[in-house]
């Protein structure tokens, strides 16, 4: 089949809509995963095992079940219990929740990499726990965790096509819909493939710039 530029031109409005949804899911999913991952990390370091145990069970369960299964559960099962959300909201939360269990491990490694002397100094100065975490420990840990967190951002981007399974028309969903309507698969799928490469590369450049600034 020959390449048809008119099909590309006709697909572009659909592509822009899909790109907007993909970026929205990526940005919001990343914010949820980074925030919730930090919450999991802090809870897992509390003295009470009655807090650590349920958090550990939940995060292990989420990390060891497929994202697609979690999407189906949130989108198709929760409404039976009276909890109904839009497809995009469900997809964003599912991606954020799923990857928060991975970012939790990144934060944990970053916190454990902070020298013990920093903890001892905070204790010697009688700093409250809140100030110890947010003024001493976390600022040092963040510098160490930016590169691996950036890798998960790229992974989240590459996982956004699974949202198509719950009717979210992100980039690949738009390509599939266009292909089914116009019987042209080469052009839309190729455009989507190139778009994923470009967005991934730009995201990696942005993350490397952020990493350099934090190291200064």
């Amino acid at each position: 089949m020959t390449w048809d530029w008119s099909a590309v031109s006709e697909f572009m409005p659909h592509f822009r809509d899909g790109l907007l949804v993909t970026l929205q899911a990526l940005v919001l999913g990343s914010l949820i995963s980074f925030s919730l991952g930090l919450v999991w990390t802090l809870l897992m370091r509390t003295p009470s095992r009655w807090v650590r145990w349920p958090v550990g069970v939940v995060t292990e369960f989420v990390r060891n079940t497929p994202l697609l299964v979690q999407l189906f559960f949130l989108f198709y099962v929760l409404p039976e219990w009276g909890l109904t959300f839009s497809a995009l909201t469900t997809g964003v939360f599912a991606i954020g929740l799923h990857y928060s269990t991975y970012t939790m491990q990144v934060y944990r490694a970053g916190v454990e990499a902070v020298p013990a002397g920093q903890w001892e100094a905070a204790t010697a100065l009688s700093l409250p726990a809140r100030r110890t975490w947010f003024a001493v420990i976390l600022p040092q840990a963040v510098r160490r965790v930016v590169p691996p967190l950036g890798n998960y951002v790229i992974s989240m981007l590459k996982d956004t096509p699974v949202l198509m399974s719950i009717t979210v028309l992100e980039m690949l969903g738009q390509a599939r819909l266009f292909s089914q309507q116009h019987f042209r698969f080469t052009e839309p799928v190729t455009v989507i493939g190139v778009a994923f490469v470009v967005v991934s590369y730009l995201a990696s450049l942005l993350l490397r710039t952020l990493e350099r600034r934090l190291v200064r």
Side-chain angles (χ1 to χ4, degrees):
M1 182 179 292
T2 59
W3 183 268
D4 186 355
W5 285 106
S6 63
V8 175
S9 178
E10 191 174 355
F11 173 63
M12 290 311 293
H14 302 274
F15 166 72
R16 286 192 291 269
D17 292 341
L19 176 62
L20 181 61
V21 172
T22 296
L23 294 178
Q24 186 176 356
L26 175 63
V27 172
L28 296 178
S30 298
L31 291 176
I32 292 174
S33 69
F34 294 164
S35 303
L36 195 54
L38 181 59
V39 171
W40 297 142
T41 302
L42 296 177
L43 291 177
M44 287 297 291
R45 294 186 67 89
T46 58
S48 174
R49 63 179 178 178
W50 297 107
V51 174
R52 296 196 310 271
W53 185 82
V55 170
V57 170
V58 169
T59 54
E60 283 296 321
F61 177 81
V62 172
R63 184 165 57 246
N64 290 287
T65 53
L67 174 58
L68 188 59
V69 173
Q70 295 166 19
L71 275 171
F72 276 32
F73 180 85
L74 293 174
F75 191 67
Y76 294 109
V77 177
L78 286 188
E80 297 182 4
W81 298 350
L83 298 173
T84 303
F85 304 96
S86 69
L88 181 57
T89 299
T90 301
V92 166
F93 179 74
I95 288 178
L97 175 64
H98 184 79
Y99 276 93
S100 71
T101 60
Y102 293 96
T103 59
M104 176 188 75
Q105 299 299 328
V106 174
Y107 285 125
R108 179 189 60 78
V111 169
E112 291 178 354
V114 175
Q118 299 295 312
W119 294 93
E120 295 169 357
T123 302
L125 293 171
S126 300
L127 295 180
R130 180 185 179 88
R131 190 172 180 186
T132 298
W133 275 104
F134 290 97
V136 179
I137 304 303
L138 289 181
Q140 298 180 65
V142 165
R143 297 181 180 182
R144 295 174 168 86
V145 303
V146 169
L149 287 181
N151 292 335
Y152 283 121
V153 171
I154 304 301
S155 296
M156 278 186 270
L157 171 65
K158 292 187 289 186
D159 271 348
T160 54
V162 301
L163 301 185
M164 179 176 56
S165 64
I166 58 169
T167 73
V168 176
L169 291 179
E170 41 63 62
M171 288 196 292
L172 187 59
Q174 290 285 2
R176 180 185 180 188
L177 181 62
F178 180 88
S179 299
Q180 292 173 341
Q181 292 174 343
H182 297 82
F183 302 101
R184 299 289 305 189
F185 292 88
T186 302
E187 294 83 5
V189 174
T190 302
V191 169
I192 295 306
V194 172
F196 270 107
V197 172
V198 172
V199 174
S200 297
Y201 180 69
L202 293 177
S204 65
L205 289 180
L206 178 62
L207 291 166
R208 282 201 293 267
T209 301
L210 177 61
E211 180 183 353
R212 287 195 296 268
R213 288 182 177 274
L214 290 174
V215 170
R216 291 179 182 175

